[in-house]
Amino acid sequence: MIRIGIVDDKKNNRIILADKLRRNNLFDVRLDAANGEQFLQKMMELKFDERPEIVLMDLEMPIMDGIVTIATGSSLYPGVRYVVLTTFDDDDRIFNAIKAGACGYLLKEESGEIIADILVNLWTNGAGPISPSIAYKILQMIQNPPPVKLPLAGKKSENLFQLSEREKEILRFLCQGLEYKEIALKLSISANTVKKHVINIYDKLHVNSKGHALHIAYTKNLL
Amino acid sequence: MIRIGIVDDKKNNRIILADKLRRNNLFDVRLDAANGEQFLQKMMELKFDERPEIVLMDLEMPIMDGIVTIATGSSLYPGVRYVVLTTFDDDDRIFNAIKAGACGYLLKEESGEIIADILVNLWTNGAGPISPSIAYKILQMIQNPPPVKLPLAGKKSENLFQLSEREKEILRFLCQGLEYKEIALKLSISANTVKKHVINIYDKLHVNSKGHALHIAYTKNLL
DNA sequence: TCATCAATAATCCATTTGGATAGTTTTTTT
DNA sequence: AAAAAAACTATCCAAATGGATTATTGATGA
């Protein structure tokens, strides 16, 4: 049984999709959330071996949209694979979703069988599921990179996590392996303040330790 | 009938592939070349409406390899679609071939039916044919752009710090932001042991905190 | 002007980490 | 088979970190 999570703001969509998947008994749909925040919340509550292995994620959601959710989720739970399921193949979103860490991109219109097929393939081979028309778009984007839009290489990505300047500054020091005291000294502020900033950073990154924060900082190019 | 061209230096491959395609009578294999130069030569000799619409191209060829051939061919004959057919999925080549203008990338191992299927799809929908495992690699390349290959990268960053396999394993988990307990759980060992390993790692890296260690791990590419 | 927000600072308390030390078991090498 | 190297487990203690809460200041904006 492959453990599946479904995140979509429309309850009906979740039900239909879960039904589609449950029809063959390879899937165990065990997480169901209406938005990103709810999803992260529920993930936190699950033990390691109860978490879904594959998460199907809608992009358009209130409160916390799919891209941000994937970005944080894929850093928090690197073992989980995120597959974007959407109704329209919108160029910008594709690219952003991929950058955020989605490992596949499917159109909702695909039949239940195709989706099931593709998820099984993802699970067994690790091969990323991509609808053909999406794959083609990706190729085109590589061949003709959109004007400036998205810096492919190590450029700093736009402020995905809404960190303030000060917070970014402190995150950079943190990434160099400095501890609170040392950062405080460098910035001529109190170590308590540094700590407060760090906690605020964790909140924005949805993490709760230095390790996780650095992981996100390094993998999402926040420096 | 879809007009097909095949470019491969091994005559046998050409024959087998042509046979596979001719089996269903949708394809008209009408151009056959052993290398890039021969291919371009033959293309010149053909009239516009005799030219292949899709060209299956091997990458490893003498005289003029697949990448260069696609690059020049796709400028000379923009209407022609180039599909790379190769036996191994070599990361560098994928990217270069795509940039050169290939619109698809298939593994030779795929069965004749799948190849046929996919080519028909390419012809009718314009959707790019991509083997799932290739698609996945492309995603990964977008997600983690190859870290500017500098002298250090090529040199064995492997044993720079003489970490044992186990230590590298643990360092990787550490870099994902896991704490001792979690790592212990994943490896089915005691948290004390994890800690011991971590201390040993710090010794070898000449650091004394997680922050420093992760900094080195990320910047020196120890993962 | 009033409200909000970022940055600053501090305290209490629980948890995690780092260091030192001392063992046992497994694996590899000689 | 003996010796050496990794891997494993443990305990004590001190330091660093994370979380919650409260409060002051200055800048920005409605």
Side-chain angles (χ1 to χ4, degrees), chain A residues 180-181 195 202 208 210:
Chain A
Y180 298 169
K181 282 186 207 165
K195 178 174 158 182
Y202 291 175
N208 49 16
K210 201 191 282 189

mmCIF file of all heavy atoms in Angstrom, chain A residues 180-181 195 202 208 210, chain D residues 16-19 21-22:
data_model
loop_
_atom_site.group_PDB
_atom_site.id
_atom_site.type_symbol
_atom_site.label_atom_id
_atom_site.label_comp_id
_atom_site.label_asym_id
_atom_site.label_seq_id
_atom_site.Cartn_x
_atom_site.Cartn_y
_atom_site.Cartn_z
ATOM 1 N N TYR A 180 24.782 32.159 18.557
ATOM 2 C CA TYR A 180 24.122 33.411 18.915
ATOM 3 C C TYR A 180 25.098 34.487 19.390
ATOM 4 O O TYR A 180 25.087 35.617 18.926
ATOM 5 C CB TYR A 180 23.065 33.174 20.003
ATOM 6 C CG TYR A 180 21.939 32.249 19.608
ATOM 7 C CD1 TYR A 180 21.052 31.779 20.555
ATOM 8 C CD2 TYR A 180 21.759 31.857 18.287
ATOM 9 C CE1 TYR A 180 20.014 30.942 20.208
ATOM 10 C CE2 TYR A 180 20.720 31.023 17.927
ATOM 11 C CZ TYR A 180 19.855 30.560 18.898
ATOM 12 O OH TYR A 180 18.825 29.733 18.556
ATOM 13 N N LYS A 181 25.916 34.105 20.362
ATOM 14 C CA LYS A 181 26.869 35.061 20.936
ATOM 15 C C LYS A 181 27.711 35.737 19.862
ATOM 16 O O LYS A 181 27.897 36.949 19.870
ATOM 17 C CB LYS A 181 27.835 34.309 21.857
ATOM 18 C CG LYS A 181 27.312 33.957 23.207
ATOM 19 C CD LYS A 181 28.489 33.364 23.989
ATOM 20 C CE LYS A 181 28.029 32.412 25.060
ATOM 21 N NZ LYS A 181 29.151 31.577 25.555
ATOM 22 N N LYS A 195 18.590 35.625 19.280
ATOM 23 C CA LYS A 195 17.755 34.452 19.481
ATOM 24 C C LYS A 195 16.316 34.727 19.064
ATOM 25 O O LYS A 195 15.681 33.915 18.407
ATOM 26 C CB LYS A 195 17.812 34.077 20.954
ATOM 27 C CG LYS A 195 16.951 32.908 21.317
ATOM 28 C CD LYS A 195 17.222 32.553 22.753
ATOM 29 C CE LYS A 195 16.082 31.793 23.359
ATOM 30 N NZ LYS A 195 16.349 31.503 24.778
ATOM 31 N N TYR A 202 12.494 30.882 12.214
ATOM 32 C CA TYR A 202 11.955 29.522 12.235
ATOM 33 C C TYR A 202 10.456 29.533 11.959
ATOM 34 O O TYR A 202 9.935 28.712 11.228
ATOM 35 C CB TYR A 202 12.206 28.856 13.580
ATOM 36 C CG TYR A 202 13.657 28.546 13.866
ATOM 37 C CD1 TYR A 202 14.044 28.034 15.094
ATOM 38 C CD2 TYR A 202 14.641 28.762 12.908
ATOM 39 C CE1 TYR A 202 15.369 27.744 15.367
ATOM 40 C CE2 TYR A 202 15.962 28.480 13.177
ATOM 41 C CZ TYR A 202 16.326 27.982 14.415
ATOM 42 O OH TYR A 202 17.618 27.701 14.689
ATOM 43 N N ASN A 208 11.773 24.173 13.286
ATOM 44 C CA ASN A 208 12.023 24.403 14.702
ATOM 45 C C ASN A 208 13.406 23.971 15.138
ATOM 46 O O ASN A 208 13.616 23.549 16.262
ATOM 47 C CB ASN A 208 10.954 23.707 15.547
ATOM 48 C CG ASN A 208 10.779 22.277 15.099
ATOM 49 O OD1 ASN A 208 11.637 21.756 14.395
ATOM 50 N ND2 ASN A 208 9.723 21.647 15.511
ATOM 51 N N LYS A 210 17.895 24.584 14.102
ATOM 52 C CA LYS A 210 18.916 25.178 13.260
ATOM 53 C C LYS A 210 19.148 24.306 12.033
ATOM 54 O O LYS A 210 19.253 24.801 10.916
ATOM 55 C CB LYS A 210 20.208 25.302 14.073
ATOM 56 C CG LYS A 210 21.165 26.316 13.514
ATOM 57 C CD LYS A 210 22.514 26.232 14.179
ATOM 58 C CE LYS A 210 22.508 26.884 15.540
ATOM 59 N NZ LYS A 210 23.881 26.989 16.107
ATOM 60 P P DA D 16 28.120 28.305 25.307
ATOM 61 O OP1 DA D 16 29.174 28.793 24.406
ATOM 62 O OP2 DA D 16 27.514 29.179 26.318
ATOM 63 O "O5'" DA D 16 26.945 27.703 24.414
ATOM 64 C "C5'" DA D 16 27.228 26.628 23.531
ATOM 65 C "C4'" DA D 16 25.960 26.228 22.791
ATOM 66 O "O4'" DA D 16 25.062 25.576 23.709
ATOM 67 C "C3'" DA D 16 25.197 27.399 22.179
ATOM 68 O "O3'" DA D 16 24.889 27.044 20.849
ATOM 69 C "C2'" DA D 16 23.955 27.528 23.072
ATOM 70 C "C1'" DA D 16 23.770 26.108 23.581
ATOM 71 N N9 DA D 16 23.156 25.976 24.904
ATOM 72 C C8 DA D 16 23.545 26.590 26.063
ATOM 73 N N7 DA D 16 22.826 26.252 27.115
ATOM 74 C C5 DA D 16 21.902 25.358 26.606
ATOM 75 C C6 DA D 16 20.852 24.637 27.207
ATOM 76 N N6 DA D 16 20.548 24.708 28.497
ATOM 77 N N1 DA D 16 20.111 23.836 26.417
ATOM 78 C C2 DA D 16 20.424 23.755 25.108
ATOM 79 N N3 DA D 16 21.383 24.379 24.435
ATOM 80 C C4 DA D 16 22.088 25.172 25.245
ATOM 81 P P DT D 17 24.039 28.027 19.928
ATOM 82 O OP1 DT D 17 24.419 27.740 18.538
ATOM 83 O OP2 DT D 17 24.077 29.397 20.460
ATOM 84 O "O5'" DT D 17 22.582 27.433 20.155
ATOM 85 C "C5'" DT D 17 22.367 26.069 19.856
ATOM 86 C "C4'" DT D 17 20.947 25.672 20.143
ATOM 87 O "O4'" DT D 17 20.680 25.721 21.554
ATOM 88 C "C3'" DT D 17 19.887 26.557 19.473
ATOM 89 O "O3'" DT D 17 19.037 25.698 18.752
ATOM 90 C "C2'" DT D 17 19.171 27.216 20.659
ATOM 91 C "C1'" DT D 17 19.359 26.171 21.734
ATOM 92 N N1 DT D 17 19.274 26.615 23.143
ATOM 93 C C2 DT D 17 18.343 26.034 23.982
ATOM 94 O O2 DT D 17 17.561 25.173 23.603
ATOM 95 N N3 DT D 17 18.369 26.484 25.272
ATOM 96 C C4 DT D 17 19.209 27.439 25.799
ATOM 97 O O4 DT D 17 19.138 27.755 26.983
ATOM 98 C C5 DT D 17 20.157 28.015 24.882
ATOM 99 C C7 DT D 17 21.110 29.059 25.351
ATOM 100 C C6 DT D 17 20.147 27.588 23.608
ATOM 101 P P DG D 18 17.949 26.301 17.784
ATOM 102 O OP1 DG D 18 17.822 25.370 16.658
ATOM 103 O OP2 DG D 18 18.242 27.725 17.551
ATOM 104 O "O5'" DG D 18 16.621 26.211 18.662
ATOM 105 C "C5'" DG D 18 16.153 24.918 19.015
ATOM 106 C "C4'" DG D 18 14.810 25.014 19.711
ATOM 107 O "O4'" DG D 18 15.004 25.460 21.077
ATOM 108 C "C3'" DG D 18 13.813 25.966 19.083
ATOM 109 O "O3'" DG D 18 12.575 25.276 19.040
ATOM 110 C "C2'" DG D 18 13.823 27.186 20.019
ATOM 111 C "C1'" DG D 18 14.158 26.552 21.356
ATOM 112 N N9 DG D 18 14.906 27.369 22.320
ATOM 113 C C8 DG D 18 15.981 28.184 22.086
ATOM 114 N N7 DG D 18 16.440 28.766 23.170
ATOM 115 C C5 DG D 18 15.605 28.294 24.192
ATOM 116 C C6 DG D 18 15.613 28.572 25.577
ATOM 117 O O6 DG D 18 16.377 29.291 26.208
ATOM 118 N N1 DG D 18 14.608 27.882 26.242
ATOM 119 C C2 DG D 18 13.703 27.045 25.652
ATOM 120 N N2 DG D 18 12.796 26.478 26.437
ATOM 121 N N3 DG D 18 13.683 26.772 24.349
ATOM 122 C C4 DG D 18 14.658 27.436 23.683
ATOM 123 P P DG D 19 11.236 25.938 18.643
ATOM 124 O OP1 DG D 19 10.355 24.857 18.198
ATOM 125 O OP2 DG D 19 11.516 27.081 17.757
ATOM 126 O "O5'" DG D 19 10.643 26.498 20.017
ATOM 127 C "C5'" DG D 19 10.287 25.567 21.034
ATOM 128 C "C4'" DG D 19 9.377 26.239 22.051
ATOM 129 O "O4'" DG D 19 10.195 26.955 23.010
ATOM 130 C "C3'" DG D 19 8.410 27.265 21.457
ATOM 131 O "O3'" DG D 19 7.146 27.083 22.081
ATOM 132 C "C2'" DG D 19 9.032 28.607 21.817
ATOM 133 C "C1'" DG D 19 9.709 28.278 23.142
ATOM 134 N N9 DG D 19 10.857 29.109 23.492
ATOM 135 C C8 DG D 19 11.809 29.615 22.649
ATOM 136 N N7 DG D 19 12.732 30.323 23.268
ATOM 137 C C5 DG D 19 12.352 30.267 24.610
ATOM 138 C C6 DG D 19 12.953 30.844 25.757
ATOM 139 O O6 DG D 19 13.979 31.525 25.826
ATOM 140 N N1 DG D 19 12.245 30.539 26.916
ATOM 141 C C2 DG D 19 11.097 29.786 26.956
ATOM 142 N N2 DG D 19 10.551 29.608 28.149
ATOM 143 N N3 DG D 19 10.524 29.240 25.891
ATOM 144 C C4 DG D 19 11.202 29.530 24.759
ATOM 145 P P DT D 21 2.566 31.898 25.599
ATOM 146 O OP1 DT D 21 1.338 31.363 26.250
ATOM 147 O OP2 DT D 21 2.551 32.309 24.178
ATOM 148 O "O5'" DT D 21 3.082 33.127 26.453
ATOM 149 C "C5'" DT D 21 3.886 32.889 27.620
ATOM 150 C "C4'" DT D 21 4.497 34.187 28.087
ATOM 151 O "O4'" DT D 21 5.829 34.345 27.518
ATOM 152 C "C3'" DT D 21 3.718 35.443 27.677
ATOM 153 O "O3'" DT D 21 3.320 36.150 28.840
ATOM 154 C "C2'" DT D 21 4.688 36.251 26.834
ATOM 155 C "C1'" DT D 21 6.039 35.720 27.302
ATOM 156 N N1 DT D 21 7.122 35.854 26.308
ATOM 157 C C2 DT D 21 8.333 36.385 26.731
ATOM 158 O O2 DT D 21 8.544 36.717 27.882
ATOM 159 N N3 DT D 21 9.293 36.491 25.751
ATOM 160 C C4 DT D 21 9.152 36.148 24.424
ATOM 161 O O4 DT D 21 10.079 36.292 23.647
ATOM 162 C C5 DT D 21 7.868 35.596 24.045
ATOM 163 C C7 DT D 21 7.618 35.197 22.629
ATOM 164 C C6 DT D 21 6.925 35.488 24.998
ATOM 165 P P DT D 22 2.323 37.430 28.727
ATOM 166 O OP1 DT D 22 1.359 37.311 29.849
ATOM 167 O OP2 DT D 22 1.851 37.581 27.336
ATOM 168 O "O5'" DT D 22 3.300 38.647 29.027
ATOM 169 C "C5'" DT D 22 4.286 38.558 30.056
ATOM 170 C "C4'" DT D 22 5.236 39.723 29.916
ATOM 171 O "O4'" DT D 22 6.227 39.420 28.893
ATOM 172 C "C3'" DT D 22 4.567 41.033 29.493
ATOM 173 O "O3'" DT D 22 4.794 42.032 30.469
ATOM 174 C "C2'" DT D 22 5.202 41.373 28.157
ATOM 175 C "C1'" DT D 22 6.516 40.611 28.212
ATOM 176 N N1 DT D 22 7.093 40.259 26.888
ATOM 177 C C2 DT D 22 8.421 40.509 26.665
ATOM 178 O O2 DT D 22 9.159 41.001 27.498
ATOM 179 N N3 DT D 22 8.875 40.168 25.420
ATOM 180 C C4 DT D 22 8.137 39.603 24.394
ATOM 181 O O4 DT D 22 8.660 39.352 23.331
ATOM 182 C C5 DT D 22 6.744 39.359 24.695
ATOM 183 C C7 DT D 22 5.855 38.768 23.649
ATOM 184 C C6 DT D 22 6.290 39.692 25.913
#
